[in-house]
Amino acid sequence: MSKDSLRESLKEPRLAQLLMHPAIWRGRSSAAIPCFSSGFQLLDTGLPGGGWPQTGLVEILTPYHGLGELRLLMPMLAQASHAEPARWITWIAPPFEPYAPALVAHGLALARQLIVRTETALWAMEQALGGGACTVALTWVRRASPRSIRRLQIASERGQTLGFVFRALSSARESSAAQLRLILNPRPGGLRVTLHKSRGGTRAPIDIDWPSGHG
């Protein structure tokens, strides 16, 4: 084999390895990334990678709080709360007090829940994402500059943490470095999910129906 042929043969596996990196976006396709199942088959099918990414920042944009955004995340939070090695599920400045019996009913491990009450939610979120002690961190903010969102995305990658930032629907007009942005709207018996920004995934709205018999 000539030196040139050998050099070319060595490039191919390196290129394949590079293209598997989650930061690489290849048009409408997506690189394989570790994911948590959302617990909803239609949503898993529509999300890039087949579920919620285990690392990265996700923005959830809603017209108001309490339309079912947490219910959408409960199956994933239950998985994450039992993952090994044990790390925290951190709730930063939630608008409503997490109700322990409801969390248990959805399968979450209470011993791994950490609630942070603070007026500096963005700073606390950056520490939670980048510190490596959390599997998932969630926060609710009224305003966040593009620079702040970029810092959170970088911190999530550094700490290998999945972060959710809940923001007003009006924030959809702003630029964002978040890996994934979802718009949620209520519908009878469930939610309509639209991927506003994603590295791959579907462009069609996803209608989620709540399972009967669950609160």
Side-chain angles (χ1 to χ4, degrees):
M1 179 180 293
S2 68
K3 290 183 178 179
D4 288 342
S5 298
L6 178 60
R7 189 178 298 112
E8 290 302 315
S9 67
L10 289 173
K11 285 181 180 178
E12 291 182 5
R14 291 176 182 175
L15 177 60
Q17 184 177 13
L18 174 63
L19 291 175
M20 291 295 289
H21 193 280
I24 300 297
W25 179 37
R26 294 177 289 168
R28 295 182 68 91
S29 65
S30 58
I33 56 175
C35 290
F36 292 112
S37 171
S38 71
F40 300 93
Q41 184 176 356
L42 285 177
L43 186 56
D44 282 348
T45 300
L47 288 169
W52 299 114
Q54 292 186 15
T55 297
L57 190 70
V58 179
E59 282 191 80
I60 303 290
L61 310 175
T62 64
Y64 56 86
H65 295 313
L67 55 74
E69 61 272 28
L70 284 180
R71 191 172 182 179
L72 187 70
L73 300 184
M74 283 298 166
M76 177 276 299
L77 291 175
Q79 294 175 61
S81 71
H82 293 282
E84 297 294 342
R87 298 199 294 172
W88 294 107
I89 308 295
T90 302
W91 308 64
I92 299 173
F96 308 111
E97 189 72 14
Y99 185 52
L103 299 183
V104 171
H106 282 281
L108 277 72
L110 283 185
R112 296 193 186 178
Q113 309 304 307
L114 177 65
I115 300 174
V116 179
R117 300 175 180 87
T118 178
E119 295 182 359
T120 56
L122 288 171
W123 179 87
M125 184 67 164
E126 186 175 352
Q127 308 314 304
L129 291 174
C134 302
T135 302
V136 181
L138 311 93
T139 194
W140 290 254
V141 297
R142 292 183 179 180
R143 296 181 183 85
S145 67
R147 181 174 180 272
S148 296
I149 296 298
R150 179 170 178 77
R151 288 177 64 95
L152 295 184
Q153 172 64 34
I154 292 172
S156 72
E157 295 170 358
R158 182 173 66 248
Q160 296 292 290
T161 304
L162 172 57
F164 287 91
V165 177
F166 297 90
R167 304 181 68 190
L169 184 55
S170 58
S171 302
R173 298 189 298 266
E174 302 173 8
S175 63
S176 172
Q179 178 174 327
L180 185 62
R181 304 185 87 193
L182 276 64
I183 293 175
L184 306 187
N185 284 293
R187 54 182 295 274
L191 281 178
R192 170 161 288 186
V193 180
T194 304
L195 274 61
H196 185 58
K197 174 190 174 183
S198 66
R199 300 169 182 172
T202 184
R203 293 296 179 263
I206 305 167
D207 286 340
I208 301 297
D209 294 318
W210 301 135
S212 59
H214 291 272

